[in-house]
Amino acid sequence: MAALLHSYVAGQWSTPQDDGVPLADAATGEEVARYSTRALDFAAVVDYARRVGGPALRELTFHERAAALKALGKRLMGAKDQFYPLSFATGATARDSALDVDGGIGVLLSYASKAVRELPNDTVYLDGGTESIGRAGTFVAQHIYTTRPGVAVQINAFNFPVWGMLEKLAPAFLAGLPTIVKPAHQTAYLTELVVRHIVESGLLPEGSLQLVCASPDGLLEQLGEQDVIAFTGSAATAARLRSHPRVVGAGVGFNAEADSLNCAILGPDAGPGTPEFDLYVKQLVAEMTSKAGQKCTAIRRALVPRPLLDTVADATAAQLAAVVVGKPDLDGVRMGPLASTAQRDEVLRALKSLTDAARLISGDPQHVAVEGADPDRGAFLPPLLLRADDNTADAVHEVEAFGPVSTLMPYGDIDEAVALAIRGRGSLVGSVITHDPEVARRVVLGVAAYHGRLLVLDRDDAKESTGHGSPLPTLVHGGPGRAGGGEELGGIRGVLHYMQRSAVQGSPDMLTAVAGRWITGAARHSGGVHPFRKYLEELRIGDTIVGGPRAVTAEDIAQFAALTGDTFYAHTDPVAAAQNPLFGGIVAHGYLVVSLAAGLFVEPSPGPVLANFGVDNLRFLTPVKPGDSLTVTLTAKQLTPRASADYGEVRWDTVVTNQDGAAVATYDVLTLVAKRPAGQPREV
Ligand code: NAP
């Protein structure tokens, strides 16, 4: 008897008390592991996450959490060769395994680096700018995201045992939520192995990750209003869990990634002989065979212009005939078995419904040539291509055969292609393969409301394209309607899904204290040491330097025009400038104003300020005319120490005013400021 999978709960590996059910190698039928059918003490599991994992995570800033994810990603990447043998057992080829294993680790690394670049080194995330409410500026509002004191329960599908876990773990972890992972039983042995490596690494705070290799009965009953369920699986299970009393009645968050009848539309311009025609056929074959079609993003409906149907069918069938099906670890095998014989039977059932509405034109489910394995013991199927000349039948738009199965169907014009696409009632992804910008625009705008992601593929982007079926950490994954109505990933958006957004109203001083970022109207601290003489640790939010006044002369403007070559008439031609409805005469260049302002606030000698790396939100508000006088007010707005460097980022609120006190320009100056070197005396 193979080993029973263990759960990792409450800080230890827990041995199941039953014999469990066998999990078979998808290709050989041999037992790989056993999965317990008994439930756990989920009250204790959830309590541990709340009591131990949550507080440990909330101690860390976004950047500290990111550093842990980065270290974990590197550690797992170093161990990935140990994951591949079990990945083969799931039916995945080496290429499929790279999507799951390397792809999952890639999500950790991508999130780690995005978090450092886009999140503050803090525990609060500010959403957008300040809203001014009171006229005098004493009552303002700021939207903030904070961490929920809850748990993230992830319930995953069998097809991506590694990526499925890591793509949910990364954003939840950054958001400060401890995770409880419930993998699908069929392939849980690979998830368990990866969790063993994670636990052994000691890189994540204790309690921030628990693994349930057991029946989930009773788990949802423990959840409450601060908790989130992130589900991936079939629409039927999603519907059942969505109506769970804790979800309906106790406000448990619920995000579903379910199945979808994704389409790929061949543009009318993309006939045989065009690069787009070849790309279409290649992509269709790739999506049918990658992971043996067990991808929620695979192309299920291939829509082609009616006159091209025969040609596309022939070209696709010819390529599918060359696909070698077999034992997934063998070189030369392009498609492995499905994850289990139960899954294969499920696909055959779905195929039966589809063949009532479409005819099979490539592949015979009863006869499959298998390289290196016994077809009677493994869960093998050949790629199965159907053709539905009648594109109106419900089944082809509704039945998901979660395997190497796609249906070709014709369309007449773009309006019909759009109408067919949206008969999927909401999909994760759709693609249009065209070199005609008008076709791209009509299709994308016609179907976007029904899709989470859209790929426009043509000769120009094909080489770099990541393909129809690959969700990326930086892009939204999820889809409306039938696809579950959920949303994951999408860069920092994915982190915010796990956090709570609140609008906080109050005075600028109070909101500055709450948000950790200086807000217009809050107290400024000026006098004493120039802020550019302060190391990062010495700077305080609100530290201010006021520079000026400085008169702007006609000669300054003429010299700036001559120096830069910016001789736009408003700066150089008094007659033409007088006709300008906004200026009515010569005005200073906006960039001259910004440059003069820098000369007013700078502290020139070598010191803690290392570099200016840009400005944000630059706006020119009032024209500056010869004779005007400028004053600049520079205020430390946000301090972001970098954990891995001996400097950090400082954002300075900058306001340039004229002699009447009117704002001429506003922007944020971005600088890198050194941390104080050990032993360096402080300037007073
Ligand atoms: P599934 O049968 O719906 O199972 C999904 C998960 O739900 C499994 O972990 C399962 O655990 C768990 N589960 C079932 N009943 C539960 C309950 N009462 N309480 C808590 N958990 C419960 O789906 P699957 O067969 O694994 O996956 C295939 C489907 O997933 C396909 O339809 C595919 O389109 C979809 N999918 C969608 C995405 C996406 O991102 N949108 C990605 C991949 C797959 P057990 O295994 O222990 O039963």
Side-chain angles (χ1 to χ4, degrees):
M1 201 167 77
L4 266 164
L5 299 181
H6 287 46
S7 294
Y8 183 73
V9 288
Q12 54 192 338
W13 288 97
S14 145
T15 313
Q17 298 305 307
D18 60 342
D19 288 344
V21 291
L23 305 176
D25 182 299
T28 64
E30 282 163 21
E31 199 172 298
V32 182
R34 298 183 76 87
Y35 188 92
S36 171
T37 55
R38 289 220 191 135
L40 303 176
D41 176 359
F42 286 118
V45 175
V46 172
D47 174 64
Y48 190 73
R50 288 206 182 109
R51 206 169 28 78
V52 179
L57 273 172
R58 292 197 293 275
E59 280 285 299
L60 305 177
T61 65
F62 292 120
H63 287 202
E64 288 166 335
R65 294 171 204 158
L69 285 186
K70 184 174 176 185
L72 180 65
K74 285 182 169 171
R75 174 80 170 235
L76 293 180
M77 202 53 104
K80 73 171 185 168
D81 289 349
Q82 297 174 52
F83 306 142
Y84 270 55
L86 278 190
S87 182
F88 293 140
T90 72
T93 62
R95 217 183 234 212
D96 297 337
S97 301
L99 292 178
D100 187 30
V101 175
D102 304 45
I105 299 169
V107 175
L108 294 183
L109 295 170
S110 169
Y111 262 98
S113 89
K114 245 184 150 22
V116 170
R117 279 182 281 120
E118 298 176 30
L119 294 175
N121 196 359
D122 201 336
T123 54
V124 184
Y125 177 79
L126 307 194
D127 178 33
T130 311
E131 299 290 340
S132 297
I133 302 174
R135 279 201 181 167
T138 62
F139 186 60
V140 297
Q142 173 70 52
H143 288 90
I144 64 170
Y145 277 93
T146 52
T147 298
R148 297 182 171 133
V151 300
V153 172
Q154 49 165 271
I155 301 175
N156 292 329
F158 68 83
N159 56 339
F160 284 102
V162 182
W163 180 86
M165 168 173 65
L166 299 182
E167 66 100 8
K168 290 185 171 85
L169 173 68
F173 186 88
L174 284 172
L177 247 71
T179 290
I180 298 170
V181 181
K182 159 68 184 88
H185 69 278
Q186 294 98 318
T187 53
Y189 44 84
L190 178 51
T191 314
E192 196 228 40
L193 178 65
V194 175
V195 172
R196 283 192 183 276
H197 279 259
I198 296 175
V199 171
E200 274 163 27
S201 79
L203 290 166
L204 302 190
E206 184 45 54
S208 60
L209 176 66
Q210 297 183 83
L211 173 72
V212 173
C213 287
S215 161
D217 282 354
L219 171 56
L220 272 50
E221 277 71 8
Q222 300 303 324
L223 304 181
E225 67 286 345
Q226 290 294 319
D227 306 319
V228 184
I229 301 168
F231 170 80
T232 298
S234 63
T237 311
R240 225 174 35 247
L241 300 187
R242 198 193 293 282
S243 57
H244 190 281
R246 300 303 295 169
V247 176
V248 177
V252 176
F254 188 75
N255 188 83
E257 299 296 340
D259 54 54
S260 93
L261 276 286
N262 313 293
C263 69
I265 300 174
L266 180 66
D269 56 300
T274 64
E276 286 71 30
F277 182 91
D278 296 341
L279 286 168
Y280 186 84
V281 173
K282 191 173 165 202
Q283 173 172 275
L284 180 55
V285 171
E287 290 298 322
M288 287 179 70
T289 53
S290 155
K291 292 283 297 180
Q294 300 164 111
K295 281 197 314 191
C296 51
T297 49
I299 298 168
R300 302 291 171 209
R301 298 177 299 147
L303 312 183
V304 302
R306 194 175 295 278
L308 299 180
L309 187 60
D310 287 339
T311 331
V312 173
D314 291 347
T316 311
Q319 290 195 22
L320 289 175
V323 168
V324 177
V325 177
K327 197 155 175 290
D329 56 344
L330 296 182
D331 287 344
V333 165
R334 168 114 180 241
M335 188 172 102
L338 281 79
S340 65
T341 49
Q343 185 56 30
R344 182 193 57 194
D345 296 345
E346 185 70 40
V347 171
L348 291 174
R349 271 195 292 280
L351 187 69
K352 199 156 179 311
S353 308
L354 285 171
T355 47
D356 290 342
R359 71 192 155 88
L360 200 51
I361 58 169
S362 178
D364 176 354
Q366 304 310 326
H367 296 100
V368 51
V370 172
E371 183 87 11
D374 179 351
D376 295 331
R377 290 186 60 84
F380 293 99
L381 278 179
L384 299 161
L385 183 64
L386 296 131
R387 169 173 171 154
D389 288 276
D390 172 10
N391 62 20
T392 62
D394 289 341
V396 297
H397 301 290
E398 289 175 5
V399 176
E400 182 204 42
F402 198 59
V405 184
S406 293
T407 305
L408 270 174
M409 65 188 84
Y411 71 82
D413 56 17
I414 295 295
D415 288 342
E416 189 183 5
V418 167
L420 290 172
I422 66 185
R423 280 197 64 183
R425 295 187 1 261
S427 299
L428 296 168
V429 55
S431 55
V432 51
I433 291 76
T434 180
H435 198 47
D436 180 339
E438 186 54 27
V439 171
R441 180 177 159 84
R442 284 183 62 195
V443 171
V444 168
L445 298 188
V447 308
Y450 290 81
H451 288 80
R453 178 166 61 85
L454 287 160
L455 165 67
V456 182
L457 185 64
D458 70 356
R459 66 197 72 179
D460 294 335
D461 65 4
K463 209 164 167 201
E464 288 200 291
S465 165
T466 45
H468 170 104
S470 301
L472 298 179
T474 50
L475 305 186
V476 159
H477 174 60
R482 170 170 185 153
E487 189 178 295
E488 292 181 331
L489 300 177
I492 297 308
R493 295 174 192 86
V495 177
L496 302 180
H497 289 150
Y498 286 96
M499 301 182 77
Q500 177 63 42
R501 179 164 50 192
S502 313
V504 185
Q505 299 170 280
S507 72
D509 279 331
M510 287 301 174
L511 293 199
T512 294
V514 169
R517 183 165 77 179
W518 186 85
I519 283 173
T520 300
R524 290 182 161 108
H525 318 293
S526 50
V529 180
H530 189 294
F532 280 19
R533 303 299 313 162
K534 294 184 179 178
Y535 287 103
L536 198 58
E537 303 82 344
E538 294 152 8
L539 270 172
R540 292 287 164 265
I541 286 175
D543 279 355
T544 296
I545 177 82
V546 179
R550 195 244 198 243
V552 181
T553 64
E555 201 186 354
D556 290 334
I557 299 171
Q559 279 185 358
F560 193 76
L563 176 69
T564 60
D566 180 351
T567 53
F568 186 63
Y569 75 90
H571 314 306
T572 53
D573 181 343
V575 177
Q579 303 303 314
N580 182 300
L582 299 178
F583 303 142
I586 291 282
V587 291
H589 306 69
Y591 302 122
L592 172 58
V593 171
V594 170
S595 304
L596 292 175
L600 295 177
F601 64 63
V602 77
E603 206 294 323
S605 44
V609 176
L610 303 174
N612 170 354
F613 70 97
V615 295
D616 270 356
N617 311 320
L618 173 60
R619 287 289 179 279
F620 299 121
L621 302 170
T622 310
V624 174
K625 302 200 165 161
D628 282 355
S629 193
L630 303 181
T631 298
V632 62
T633 306
L634 189 83
T635 306
K637 186 173 193 173
Q638 190 171 26
L639 313 175
T640 309
R642 287 196 189 169
S644 56
D646 45 14
Y647 55 84
E649 290 152 26
V650 180
R651 174 180 291 268
W652 305 85
D653 182 86
T654 313
V655 185
V656 184
T657 50
N658 63 19
Q659 61 286 350
D660 302 324
V664 161
T666 55
Y667 47 104
D668 287 354
V669 171
L670 309 171
T671 60
L672 298 179
V673 175
K675 296 177 183 169
R676 190 201 317 217
Q680 178 88 12
R682 182 182 177 142
E683 281 198 38
V684 267

